Amino acid sequence: MELDGKACAAVGQTGLMALYDMLFNQLDVSSSQLLVTDSDFENPNFRERLRETVESLLDLKVVPVFNENDAISTRKAPYEDSSGIFWDNDSLAGLLAIELKADLLVLLSDVDGLYSGPPSEPQSKIIHTYIKEKHHNEITFGDKSRVGRGGMTAKVKAAFVASNSGTPVVITSGFASQSILRVLQGEKIGTLFHKDASLWEPSKDVSAREMAVAARECSRRLQNLSSDERKKILLDVADALEANEDLIRAENEADVLAAQDAGYEKSLVARLTLKPGKIASLAKSIRTLANMEDPINQILKRTEIAENLVLEKTSCPLGVLLIVFESRPDALVQIASLAIRSGNGLLLKGGKEAMRSNTILHKVITDALPDSVGKRLIGLVTSRDEIADLLKLDDVIDLVIPRGSNKLVSQIKASTKIPVLGHADGVCHVYIDKSADMDIAKRIVMDAKIDYPAACNAMETLLVHKDLIKSPGLDDILISLKTEGVSIYGGPVAHEVLSIPKADSFHHEYSSMACTVEFVDDVQSAIDHIHRYGSAHTDCIVTTDSKVAETFLRQVDSAAVFHNASTRFSDGARFGLGAEVGISTGRIHARGPVGVEGLLTTRWIMRGSGQVVNGDKDVAYTHQNLPLQ
């Protein structure tokens, strides 16, 4: 039967509010219903009473839920009639924001925000800040919802009206987790509408794209240079770093002081600090890298496909790299030198805590680049815009390498279509087997924990065979750790046996002078513990039993596995890679410390003499391996 829409609205309203009551009650919050009609707002007395009622409800910590009273609306076809003071939930929200002088209006959508075109189309880009003069004629809207009244078109119109009246508006996703909280915390998500937006600087997304395109163009010029010319660039960079050491250290000291004043954690300040000798060490690693064999345009394989038809597999750069890193300004130098050696363009986004250090290092390095390549080979992003801008550039950036906290890496992996190389955690283990030489064990444990506790390859968990519980050697190790200032926490067994504070989690990465100790039954138990709680970064066994050592080395599924050697050796420079852009715990493309080879891919070059396939009628395939030339 044909049902009356207004009658259905009257019946449905009670069900709708019952749902709101149930959901808000789960949060111990009361809700209230306010039904309005378009004509109500024509009455100034109504609007004044409305404001008073809402203010009273908010004082009582009651959430007011507004809806149009469709049951008595004067609109005959509410889903089609857009006349009047408001005509849908979006325009009602905008109107209420103005009437109630709201500090902020958040409009939730089924997409991340306002796009330049239909969000389903790959060329459509999200607009982070709406500027009418810039975007009004550029946006193409898709079809509106079959049952809704306006879709994104209505949201944009309501947002524009409300923002012009003094209430900032953000359009963002209602499906993404905690969108409203993230907006309130100042994260750059969705699309912002603000009455002063036209006075602001252009969106960072544009300059980021320009930087990435310029980096690609410069990288192609770099690739065209001879091996000796690329080598000279690196040697010039190393010389420039040493020549400007005093200036670099002065800027770094300013960053460190600001970080300490801001109350940053000691582990972050440690990573931020360029210690004495660091510039010389960086320059040395760059020279080592320069003197390595040229990694690009190497013939990796030659195959005779058919007579006078030769196929070559060669090494080549990836293209443009985006490196997002926190705290460690030395990472900028390592990454830039590896990019130059591998012929890649580079886009860098450093943390605000190292802004001065990163700026001076970037200037010193790019000033050393010849005009034949161009200073825009390496772009430094210093804008306040969020990393999200850069992660949208999947059409011009080829690889993202995050270096920083677990939170940073996880957010990047969840926020981009660009391939990501890196690791989220550095939960590294040292396992002392019952046959271990305890003097060797002590040297390894002390080095793995205290040489540089903020590093991702520092020991976080010490596993010990249960037969060593009462051994003098273990007591010596634990006393030495405590003497050096290491806080020791125990797993369930160690907590009871050693009477030490209990560790909150085996998954924890301290990145500081602290570690967890736990006892295990045997090498297999140690392996199982590492697989369950480790991060597949670097793990070590200390033992004199070669059979046990081989079991550990074969079975531990980590990027780096050591026998009788400190986990601190897990490093690009120490591996002889010259430097590293980071450490990858993934299993595709590169794993472990990533040096030049991890920034390369391959391409196929074929040399023929007029051959055609023609249904393979006239081709006699030989597929013979040929010597490399």
Side-chain angles (χ1 to χ4, degrees), residues 284-286 288-289 292 334 338 572-580:
K284 181 181 178 181
S285 68
I286 293 173
T288 300
L289 190 63
M292 292 173 61
Q334 295 176 353
L338 284 169
R574 297 185 180 101
F575 275 18
L577 306 179
E580 68 178 42

Side-chain angles (χ1 to χ4, degrees), residues 136-200:
H136 180 69
N137 295 322
E138 295 180 2
I139 299 172
T140 304
F141 291 102
D143 295 333
K144 66 181 181 180
S145 168
R146 180 177 59 83
V147 294
R149 299 192 192 175
M152 185 58 76
T153 310
K155 292 187 193 303
V156 170
K157 186 172 182 179
F160 183 74
V161 172
S163 62
N164 270 5
S165 298
T167 297
V169 183
V170 174
I171 299 176
T172 189
S173 171
F175 291 107
S177 176
Q178 298 187 322
S179 287
I180 296 174
L181 287 177
R182 292 175 65 194
V183 169
L184 293 176
Q185 290 165 358
E187 289 191 40
K188 186 175 181 182
I189 62 171
T191 302
L192 170 68
F193 290 73
H194 194 284
K195 65 178 181 178
D196 296 328
S198 61
L199 305 177
W200 298 348

Side-chain angles (χ1 to χ4, degrees), residues 91 288 321 324 337 388 395 406 466 498 541 556 576 584 617 619:
S91 57
T288 300
L321 314 174
V324 183
S337 59
D395 56 332
N406 179 302
K466 64 181 182 180
L498 302 176
I541 182 173
V556 172
S584 171
K617 297 174 185 177
V619 181

Side-chain angles (χ1 to χ4, degrees), residues 572-600:
R574 297 185 180 101
F575 275 18
L577 306 179
E580 68 178 42
V581 293
I583 292 180
S584 171
T585 54
R587 289 165 171 78
I588 297 176
H589 181 67
R591 195 176 187 194
V594 179
V596 171
E597 290 184 3
L599 303 182
L600 300 174

Side-chain angles (χ1 to χ4, degrees), residues 37-38 41 47 85-86 89-101 105 158 161-162:
T37 63
D38 183 86
F41 285 88
R47 299 203 301 272
I85 298 174
F86 71 86
N89 280 336
D90 295 316
S91 57
L92 173 58
L95 175 61
L96 290 168
I98 296 170
E99 286 289 335
L100 302 171
K101 295 181 174 57
L105 169 62
V161 172

